[in-house]
Amino acid sequence: MDEDKFAVYLKSRFGIMLSEEFGIEEKTSKVYVYSKDLEKLGLRWVHRRGLLAGKLNTLFGIKPSLDFTLVFGHLAQKNCAVISDEEVAQIFAGEDMVLKDSSTCEDGLVMLKNVKGMGVAVALNKGGTLQSLVQKDRQIAKEQVF
Amino acid sequence: MAVSIRINNLRIGKKEFLERMSRFSLTPVEWYGQAYKSDAESLGKSLEYQLGYFYIQSLSSMVPVLVLDPKPGDMVLDMAAAPGSKSTQCAMHMEDKGVVVANDVSYMRLKSLASHVDRLGITSIAMTNFDGQRFPSVAPFSKILLDAPCSSMGSRKNILPHSEGRIRSLAKLQKSLLLRGFDLLAPAGTLVYSTCTTTVEENEQVIENLLSKRDNAKVEKLQLPFAFEKGLGGNSEVDSDVCRFTLDESFFIAKITKK
């Protein structure tokens, strides 16, 4: 099942295992993570449950969403990198940056964490260059980078 | 123009939030520890907004959820939820534990709601797309919020007056929604009815209609931590217990319980 595909991907790529209080649901190639409390609802026609956690068939294969990373990114144990507050702003301005320690991440998707260890974004690592994948409607203006 | 915001306590603690937001000169709202006011422009374009640290919401519209007082583990229905300010506020008060059903009749407006749920990182909201008048019977909800579609006469966004016919039509809809909401409520449950309009037809008369049709409905006396007025419907049974107030918008609010 595709929900399992997403869970398997999270574990193999990032070392992330979601606790049993969360369920995963796939609908038309989008994956949602929801609180299992919602299973008490007993309503057949639900538009969606929980938050959009990722997409299955992107250019990069399975891609966790920005918002999934903000909630669960702190759980990443591999293919993750810590960036400074200034670099967080840069990534959100759509700018690329150099991965400081390229030995810690394989090429491909990388979860970025802030200095407090909280997930902040997903980026694409290409030979040590981190390409911002923050979508346009979530980007900030470059003037706001401090 | 001043805006008000509400901290997303699921994402960030108050101390760190205030440190990060110091450049926006936030003024605390004394009656609501999660809310702040600011004259800063472009709060919605800030990095902190995109990181999901806060939600921009009018102060008046924060009040219904405070009256509803949802707690972790509750089963809550927001009958006319989009764009999601109150549903997400409920989820925060519930610490993202329990069930919040965010329902809206408009599929397009559900998209806006979804974007806020995602940005704020909420996992306990289920979105549904029913006409609230025909919301299906499920396990009863312990708390229901009906911030009813209305003529918005009290809203700062409203620029056009409505015809009498339009108001009658809205009042008919509101009465129907409130009856359905009440029937979905669990015994001893709480339903909060609110609007951002000032007409008696859409406020006090809607409550009176419920009381005339449901013997087990009771309007609870409300006290708010800021200046407010009683009802203006001319029915002392209702007027003494409901509230009208104006913070940044004019609101009407009634708290109903099921005996």
Side-chain angles (χ1 to χ4, degrees):
Chain A
M1 290 174 59
D2 286 331
E3 299 85 275
D4 296 333
K5 204 188 282 184
F6 188 70
V8 165
Y9 170 78
L10 287 178
K11 188 176 174 198
S12 67
R13 178 74 190 173
F14 302 109
I16 289 176
M17 289 182 62
L18 297 180
S19 85
E20 287 186 358
E21 65 186 274
F22 296 106
I24 300 176
E25 184 171 50
E26 186 263 331
K27 275 186 179 184
T28 59
S29 294
K30 292 181 181 175
V31 183
Y32 299 90
V33 166
Y34 63 92
S35 162
K36 281 194 177 168
D37 285 346
L38 292 181
E39 290 173 358
K40 297 176 197 163
L41 187 51
L43 193 59
R44 280 178 66 190
W45 300 283
V46 176
H47 174 64
R48 65 169 244 192
R49 297 190 286 186
L51 69 95
L52 177 63
K55 292 181 181 175
L56 298 176
N57 303 316
T58 74
L59 285 174
F60 318 104
I62 296 176
K63 180 182 171 292
S65 69
L66 168 62
D67 298 305
F68 175 86
T69 308
L70 287 167
V71 179
F72 296 103
H74 65 283
L75 298 172
Q77 295 172 57
K78 50 183 179 173
N79 289 308
C80 55
V82 175
I83 59 175
S84 68
D85 286 350
E86 283 180 4
E87 287 169 327
V88 171
Q90 265 181 268
I91 280 285
F92 270 80
E95 294 177 4
D96 299 345
M97 64 184 63
V98 172
L99 177 58
K100 290 191 187 72
D101 182 359
S102 56
S103 66
T104 60
C105 299
E106 300 161 344
D107 274 6
L109 296 183
V110 169
M111 276 202 183
L112 303 178
K113 299 184 185 185
N114 65 15
V115 295
K116 292 192 165 131
M118 299 306 293
V120 289
V122 172
L124 179 66
N125 177 27
K126 271 186 181 177
T129 297
L130 290 175
Q131 179 185 326
S132 171
L133 296 180
V134 173
Q135 60 263 41
K136 286 262 183 295
D137 62 350
R138 296 291 292 272
Q139 288 184 8
I140 61 172
K142 288 185 171 43
E143 302 83 68
Q144 295 209 28
V145 177
F146 50 85
Chain B
M1 187 169 74
V3 294
S4 46
I5 65 173
R6 169 169 58 78
I7 301 175
N8 178 8
N9 56 3
L10 302 175
R11 179 67 50 82
I12 190 168
K14 189 184 278 197
K15 185 166 177 280
E16 186 187 348
F17 176 76
L18 291 174
E19 282 169 5
R20 286 205 61 130
M21 299 288 285
S22 58
R23 66 192 187 280
F24 294 115
S25 303
L26 301 181
T27 307
V29 172
E30 55 186 44
W31 47 267
Y32 190 15
Q34 303 292 326
Y36 291 84
K37 290 190 285 193
S38 174
D39 288 322
E41 292 178 1
S42 306
L43 274 168
K45 294 180 184 170
S46 67
L47 173 60
E48 290 78 8
Y49 182 81
Q50 297 305 340
L51 288 170
Y53 289 171
F54 64 91
Y55 189 100
I56 299 171
Q57 183 177 354
S58 81
L59 278 180
S60 294
S61 76
M62 294 185 199
V63 176
V65 172
L66 296 182
V67 172
L68 188 70
D69 192 25
K71 296 214 173 359
D74 277 344
M75 185 155 336
V76 177
L77 169 63
D78 185 350
M79 292 183 73
S85 59
K86 297 176 194 67
S87 295
T88 56
Q89 189 184 359
C90 283
M92 282 168 210
H93 277 255
M94 293 161 66
E95 299 169 15
D96 208 22
K97 295 179 174 62
V99 173
V100 178
V101 177
N103 180 72
D104 204 90
V105 67
S106 165
Y107 180 81
M108 288 309 297
R109 282 164 57 83
L110 276 182
K111 286 188 176 182
S112 172
L113 197 161
S115 71
H116 290 305
V117 167
D118 290 340
R119 187 178 58 81
L120 299 169
I122 297 170
T123 64
S124 62
I125 286 180
M127 283 184 277
T128 58
N129 182 211
F130 295 106
D131 176 344
Q133 300 170 91
R134 285 174 273 284
F135 194 91
S137 297
V138 291
F141 292 95
S142 56
K143 285 176 180 150
I144 293 180
L145 181 61
L146 173 53
D147 186 51
C150 66
S151 57
S152 305
M153 305 281 229
S155 170
R156 54 189 170 183
K157 287 179 264 187
N158 185 52
I159 52 171
L160 292 172
H162 290 270
S163 66
E164 284 184 19
R166 173 81 176 129
I167 289 176
R168 273 199 299 276
S169 173
L170 283 165
K172 186 176 172 193
L173 171 63
Q174 290 147 355
K175 287 170 183 169
S176 176
L177 284 167
L178 184 56
L179 282 167
R180 185 60 190 146
F182 186 78
D183 290 343
L184 292 168
L185 192 62
T190 300
L191 187 155
V192 169
Y193 175 86
S194 63
T195 72
C196 60
T197 197
T198 53
T199 69
V200 169
E201 293 92 327
E202 296 175 82
N203 293 321
E204 288 85 352
Q205 288 181 4
V206 172
I207 306 301
E208 285 167 21
N209 182 71
L210 174 72
L211 295 178
S212 71
K213 295 194 163 117
R214 297 291 186 271
D215 290 338
N216 55 345
K218 181 177 188 291
V219 184
E220 301 287 342
K221 191 176 276 300
L222 271 181
Q223 289 292 327
L224 300 174
F226 45 76
F228 63 92
E229 295 172 351
K230 289 300 176 185
L232 301 174
N235 176 336
S236 59
E237 184 192 345
V238 170
D239 288 351
S240 61
D241 294 333
V242 302
C243 286
R244 285 169 171 263
F245 62 91
T246 300
L247 296 169
D248 40 16
E249 295 179 299
S250 295
F251 254 66
F252 170 90
I253 189 164
K255 180 179 176 182
I256 298 152
T257 54
K258 190 176 232 181
K259 295 182 216 167

